[in-house]
Every structure is written in structure tokens, then in C-alpha cells.
Amino acid sequence: MQVSDGVKKELLQAGSGPAPKKGDKITVHCTGSLANPPKKFWSTKDPGQKPFSFNVGLGKVIVGWDEGCMAMCVGETSKLHIAAYKGYGAQGFPSWGITPNADLVFEIEFLSIG
């Protein structure tokens, strides 16, 4: 499903809870990878990590996350395919191994709102 230009959602498991509204604090499990070549750079499921919370739709995360998570609901697990310009763009995120202009894939499990 095309969420927006540069953001595609691949549903892995449907959720049955509510969808977030702009500004809601949401909590997710996520695993982020480079799209090509596939290489994991972060996961909240790794030892010592915990679920990630943020206020959705307010620019606190990359644009692809805001747009993709607004199109999800509680209990859902989806893969978000995010074009570089909706991710970290030309600067990349070198400390995480994200190269400039890298397309990204995030598997997101939407845990809760509030």
C-alpha cells in the first residue's frame, strides 16, 4: 500500500486497535535496515533495548516514520519501505551505518497509544 510518495507499507499482521491522531504519543517495537544491501542498523528487540515512544506527526522522527505510523493501528505489524528523501537523505546517519541517500526498511510493531 502506497502511504505517500516515498513511503510504502507492507502489512504483515493486521491490528484491531485504534489509529493514532497527530500528536499522540505512540510506542512501537521496530527493526531498521538498509534496503540495499539489506543490513540491520537498529532494533528495539536487541538485548538492552526497549520499545520506542514518540509523538507522531510532529516531525520528531524521520518523515517516513511519521507518515507510515499515522497509517497504522494498535496491534498492527508492518514493514515501511522509505525512500531516502523521506529518511535521512543526503547526509545519512553515519553513526548508525546509514549511508547518504540510503533507502530504508523498518519493521514496526505498533504497541500502544498514550
Side-chain angles (χ1 to χ4, degrees), residues 1-2 10 77:
M1 170 188 151
Q2 197 72 35
E10 176 186 347
T77 301

Side-chain angles (χ1 to χ4, degrees), residues 27-43:
T27 300
V28 300
H29 262 309
C30 55
T31 299
S33 303
L34 299 176
N36 191 15
K39 182 181 177 197
K40 181 179 89 170
F41 55 81
W42 176 55
S43 179

Side-chain angles (χ1 to χ4, degrees), residues 19-59:
K21 297 182 295 301
K22 185 176 180 177
D24 281 347
K25 182 178 183 178
I26 68 169
T27 300
V28 300
H29 262 309
C30 55
T31 299
S33 303
L34 299 176
N36 191 15
K39 182 181 177 197
K40 181 179 89 170
F41 55 81
W42 176 55
S43 179
T44 59
K45 294 185 176 184
D46 284 346
Q49 296 292 311
K50 59 184 181 179
F52 181 70
S53 297
F54 67 100
N55 295 93
V56 71
L58 301 179

Side-chain angles (χ1 to χ4, degrees), residues 35-87:
N36 191 15
K39 182 181 177 197
K40 181 179 89 170
F41 55 81
W42 176 55
S43 179
T44 59
K45 294 185 176 184
D46 284 346
Q49 296 292 311
K50 59 184 181 179
F52 181 70
S53 297
F54 67 100
N55 295 93
V56 71
L58 301 179
K60 305 289 185 186
V61 293
I62 59 173
V63 173
W65 264 55
D66 267 341
E67 293 178 358
C69 288
M70 290 289 295
M72 294 178 69
C73 67
V74 173
E76 178 178 328
T77 301
S78 286
K79 277 189 181 177
L80 298 180
H81 300 263
I82 300 174
Y85 65 92
K86 293 275 179 100

